[in-house]
Amino acid sequence: MATARPETTSRRFVGRLLVPGDLKTDANAFTTMRWVLASTVMFSHGWDLTQPVAGLDPSVGLFGFPVSRLAVFLFFTLSGFLVTGSLIKRGSVDFTLARGLRLLPGLWVMIAVMVFGLWAVFGTLPLGQYLADPMTHRFVLRNALLWGGEFRLPGIFNDNQFANVVNGSLWTIPHEVRCYIVLALVGAVGLLLTPRLLTGLFVIAAVVHLAVPADIIPVLENPRRLAFSFFLGVLVYLWRDRLWLSWPLALGVSGAALLLPDGVIKTMAIQVTFSYLVLVAAFCSSARFKAASVRLPDYSYGIYIYGFPAQQAVIALGIGLTPFTNIAWGIVIMLPLAALSWHLIEKPALGLKRRAVRPA
């Protein structure tokens, strides 16, 4: 009996299959993973917002692109994995309602905070002129309606390197919503019930993505990459009963992906292998770590939508002019906003979701 326990622990480290119990809220560390990914985005922004030349983020030398982009990729994979189960269990109507209540209240309040809060502290235009400016209208309408493409407000952060840009992180949210829409359509035609067929279509799309240069249709470059990550998560969920969870495998394939020459093949390899690494970390962490993750408030959305404006604000205040001071002071300003967003907006909205959405 004395030797059985270490042997069992060793086998668990080497690997095991995902089991249904792993998907219970208290059996994984998804909340912590989301915190880490949302905070990682701020790392790259620390360099982008304070340095005169793009690409100085030291992570670029490792991945071939900024680690903020990797964090977004992994966010999309986790999102695809987690929401697919919701769609299958609840159907498209309840799925749409649940996604709307998760995203929109926090987003709309953030837009109001950007428009009025930033003007009150940093505005250089009279309020009437500021509110009448077409840039303000575009910022509110395009972001509130999930169309995207406008990140600036007039007279705000005029002296920053990225003048008037108040929230560059918002570019991903419309793409995520479009992935939800495509997923709902995929579910409506029954493809979620035929994993082999959906996998075949995904492989064909991945080959096309690999073969067709991104600069042929530049506007589709980001949607292609993000959709690849999102539907990678969808497929992992559909094949979850065959998912082998192994720390050595996850670390080995992730390390191997980093050794590839920079380019689309390396990017796709990193998307796949690091997604696997994050899933292994979420499911195979220690019981104590998972318990701590469950108790952690889910500030990840607030971290993401308030991180960029906080980092711009500390530059305007003159206290975050180098990468690390920008990240540190940005966190100091961002975290209370993320907490308020969660406790006053997002969590109550989730309560509405639980009352509005039919039990599975």
Side-chain angles (χ1 to χ4, degrees), residues 299 306 329-344:
Y299 291 174
Y306 286 105
W329 281 111
I331 291 172
V332 169
I333 291 179
M334 169 278 296
L335 201 55
L337 294 172
L340 289 172
S341 179
W342 170 252
H343 292 291
L344 299 183

Side-chain angles (χ1 to χ4, degrees), residues 208-210 212-214 217 220-229:
V208 172
H209 173 58
L210 183 62
V212 178
I217 310 179
L220 294 181
E221 180 178 0
N222 285 324
R224 283 165 51 173
R225 290 172 173 172
L226 296 177
F228 177 82
S229 286

Side-chain angles (χ1 to χ4, degrees), residues 2-295:
T3 60
R5 187 172 180 179
E7 183 179 357
T8 301
T9 302
S10 175
R11 288 177 179 176
R12 286 178 180 174
F13 179 78
V14 171
R16 64 175 179 83
L17 282 172
L18 179 75
V19 297
D22 288 321
L23 298 177
K24 295 180 179 179
T25 303
D26 59 352
N28 57 69
F30 278 123
T31 300
T32 299
M33 296 300 108
R34 289 192 291 264
W35 266 71
V36 170
L37 295 177
S39 301
T40 300
V41 172
M42 297 182 68
F43 181 85
S44 294
H45 290 168
W47 269 265
D48 295 339
L49 295 176
T50 64
Q51 301 302 297
V53 180
L56 295 181
D57 171 357
S59 66
V60 175
L62 180 64
F63 299 109
F65 51 84
V67 71
S68 59
R69 187 182 305 172
L70 175 60
V72 169
F73 289 155
L74 300 181
F75 246 126
F76 270 66
T77 299
L78 288 185
S79 179
F81 181 87
L82 294 170
V83 304
T84 300
S86 173
L87 176 59
I88 292 173
K89 294 174 184 177
R90 303 185 183 281
S92 58
V93 174
D94 286 352
F95 170 79
T96 302
L97 178 61
R99 292 298 89 210
L101 288 172
R102 182 65 185 97
L103 285 178
L104 293 177
L107 175 68
W108 289 340
V109 171
M110 180 278 303
I111 291 172
V113 171
M114 295 297 98
V115 171
F116 295 104
L118 290 180
W119 174 83
V121 180
F122 301 104
T124 58
L125 298 176
L127 180 59
Q129 180 182 346
Y130 170 74
L131 293 178
D133 194 291
M135 187 187 295
T136 304
H137 299 165
R138 289 194 301 270
F139 179 84
V140 172
L141 293 176
R142 292 180 71 90
N143 290 303
L145 298 177
L146 300 172
W147 187 255
E150 183 58 80
F151 317 116
R152 302 170 300 154
L153 284 171
I156 308 295
F157 302 142
N158 284 342
D159 297 325
N160 287 22
Q161 179 171 274
F162 289 88
N164 306 129
V165 179
V166 298
N167 204 338
S169 295
L170 296 180
W171 72 274
T172 67
I173 295 178
H175 290 298
E176 184 169 7
V177 172
R178 290 162 195 159
C179 285
Y180 293 157
I181 293 171
V182 174
L183 178 62
L185 293 175
V186 167
V189 299
L191 283 175
L192 294 180
L193 302 178
T194 55
R196 292 182 185 276
L197 177 57
L198 187 60
T199 302
L201 294 174
F202 177 83
V203 170
I204 292 171
V207 171
V208 172
H209 173 58
L210 183 62
V212 178
D215 56 6
I216 289 183
I217 310 179
V219 73
L220 294 181
E221 180 178 0
N222 285 324
R224 283 165 51 173
R225 290 172 173 172
L226 296 177
F228 177 82
S229 286
F230 182 87
F231 282 94
L232 176 64
V234 172
L235 289 178
V236 171
Y237 181 85
L238 295 180
W239 294 100
R240 62 195 181 282
D241 58 336
R242 301 187 185 184
L243 179 62
W244 184 257
L245 302 171
S246 167
W247 278 111
L249 179 60
L251 294 171
V253 295
S254 298
L258 294 176
L259 299 178
L260 295 172
D262 291 348
V264 64
I265 293 178
K266 179 176 181 177
T267 299
M268 293 177 71
I270 288 175
Q271 287 176 271
V272 173
T273 58
F274 276 77
S275 294
Y276 177 61
L277 178 60
V278 168
L279 289 171
V280 169
F283 290 122
C284 295
S285 297
S286 68
R288 182 176 297 179
F289 186 81
K290 292 177 184 177
S293 180
V294 171
R295 293 192 296 269

